[in-house]
Amino acid sequence: MNVIEVKNVWKMYGKLVANEDISMTVNEGEIVALLGPNGAGKTTLVKQIYGELSPNKGEIKILGKKPTDRQIKKLIGVIPQECEPYGDLTVWDNIYYMGRLKGVSKEVIKNRGEELLNRLDLLSKRNTLARDLSGGLKRRTLIAMALINDPKLLILDEPTTGLDPEARREVWEILIDMKREGRSMLLTTHYLDEAERLADRIYFLNRRIIVEGTPAEIKEKFADWYEVIDYTNGKVYKVKGEEELKKLIMNLNGKFEVRMPSLEEIYLQVIRNAD
């Protein structure tokens, strides 16, 4: 089942085209990542998907209905880019008031809120003002706020920007746990390792969709060279094709390493060629 279905969407600001004829899907229980440079139209597309903006052309459906449908809004959790919890409220009050805004009953908030505090390791910070939290704890609080209505779909616009490596990986584990529960997610990110670690499918976006596929499919399609590192002399060789690779390896003595291009290298190659 398509949780998100985007068909031929265009978004323009005067003569500036932010999104050009975009079609994409997110399936039930799937994490999909949007990758693209600054100004590629990722946030513009995401805002249309959760209903803050409307497309000039095309159609977006969430669980078969328009994003602006009041019932659909209750089934979505959103963490916008550069968003923070309300600094003058405690962690618990941020979660509680977000639940009330989404129409969740006080009793459900009490039970589910306690569960989220436990799950996200926020119990000890329950009565701490949000402005006094670290970046990682603020992000966890935002995730709790997004989950208080038990959404079927979670939309995260660069969820780990500004976090240190440890906090980033903590957020990754939370998202992976939610995926195991069957929750669907759409995320934008600048981090290629994040997309490769989390996403079932990836869209390279630069105003329009350039490439789509699983990380493995994208690598298979674009990884047309190998890098060989000869540790005996420190030399690095780039070769195309398996026959060339075999010939080179036959002439090496000592330790060496063979690797295919990373997703980041493929991404940079594809984005450059698309300009």
Side-chain angles (χ1 to χ4, degrees):
M1 174 185 176
N2 288 338
V3 176
I4 298 175
E5 191 167 7
V6 178
K7 288 184 179 179
N8 307 114
V9 160
W10 291 72
K11 183 63 181 177
M12 291 156 286
Y13 299 97
K15 293 183 179 180
L16 175 66
V17 178
N19 295 145
E20 179 184 329
D21 199 23
I22 290 177
S23 295
M24 59 165 289
T25 59
V26 176
N27 301 316
E28 192 171 3
E30 183 181 46
I31 298 180
V32 170
L34 296 175
L35 288 172
N38 287 330
K42 301 186 302 296
T43 296
T44 299
L45 178 60
V46 165
K47 284 182 176 180
Q48 291 172 88
I49 289 170
Y50 65 73
E52 184 176 328
L53 295 174
S54 298
N56 297 100
K57 299 179 191 176
E59 184 179 47
I60 297 173
K61 291 285 184 70
I62 308 291
L63 297 166
K65 295 184 178 180
K66 291 183 178 181
T68 50
D69 186 288
R70 290 184 67 183
Q71 293 304 312
I72 289 300
K73 285 191 172 294
K74 291 180 180 179
L75 301 176
I76 299 176
V78 180
I79 302 179
Q81 188 179 355
E82 298 177 1
C83 177
E84 288 197 351
Y86 298 101
D88 292 333
L89 296 181
T90 65
V91 168
W92 175 256
D93 285 343
N94 268 284
I95 295 168
Y96 177 84
Y97 286 115
M98 182 56 68
R100 295 301 289 151
L101 282 171
K102 292 184 176 183
V104 184
S105 71
K106 292 180 182 179
E107 189 64 26
V108 171
I109 291 172
K110 183 177 182 297
N111 295 331
R112 183 155 179 77
E114 292 290 343
E115 177 190 323
L116 289 168
L117 288 176
N118 268 301
R119 180 176 180 183
L120 298 172
D121 201 18
L122 287 169
L123 261 183
S124 64
K125 302 295 182 182
R126 176 194 187 104
N127 297 317
T128 302
L129 291 177
R131 65 167 175 254
D132 296 327
L133 299 173
S134 67
L137 289 171
K138 285 179 180 177
R139 198 66 63 173
R140 285 194 219 172
T141 302
L142 286 172
I143 291 172
M145 292 165 69
L147 290 174
I148 191 61
N149 59 323
D150 195 19
K152 292 182 180 293
L153 170 64
L154 197 59
I155 298 174
L156 308 105
D157 195 0
E158 299 188 21
T160 62
T161 296
L163 299 185
D164 61 50
E166 183 179 0
R168 279 181 67 214
R169 291 182 182 277
E170 286 175 0
V171 171
W172 291 2
E173 292 307 314
I174 292 165
L175 298 183
I176 289 167
D177 282 346
M178 290 193 294
K179 181 193 166 186
R180 290 192 188 109
E181 296 172 355
R183 216 177 295 274
S184 307
M185 280 172 269
L186 174 66
L187 67 93
T188 73
T189 180
H190 282 299
Y191 301 116
L192 278 294
D193 58 336
E194 183 163 280
E196 193 164 9
R197 178 77 174 85
L198 297 176
D200 298 290
R201 288 188 300 117
I202 296 171
Y203 289 89
F204 288 178
L205 177 70
N206 195 4
R207 195 179 66 193
R208 57 187 173 82
I209 300 294
I210 299 166
V211 171
E212 180 268 331
T214 67
E217 287 169 347
I218 291 171
K219 281 187 172 184
E220 184 178 356
K221 183 175 180 179
F222 291 97
D224 59 352
W225 54 269
Y226 297 89
E227 185 175 83
V228 181
I229 305 168
D230 185 349
Y231 290 111
T232 59
N233 57 23
K235 288 185 177 180
V236 178
Y237 306 91
K238 280 192 175 181
V239 296
K240 286 203 170 190
E242 293 183 7
E243 288 305 316
E244 275 192 54
L245 178 64
K246 288 175 186 175
K247 287 177 187 177
L248 176 61
I249 289 173
M250 292 294 289
N251 292 316
L252 293 179
N253 296 307
K255 293 184 178 179
F256 63 88
E257 178 183 346
V258 179
R259 73 171 191 88
M260 295 178 70
S262 67
L263 189 64
E264 182 170 3
E265 288 165 321
I266 291 170
Y267 164 81
L268 290 171
Q269 171 191 319
V270 170
I271 291 294
R272 282 194 204 107
N273 292 340
D275 287 342

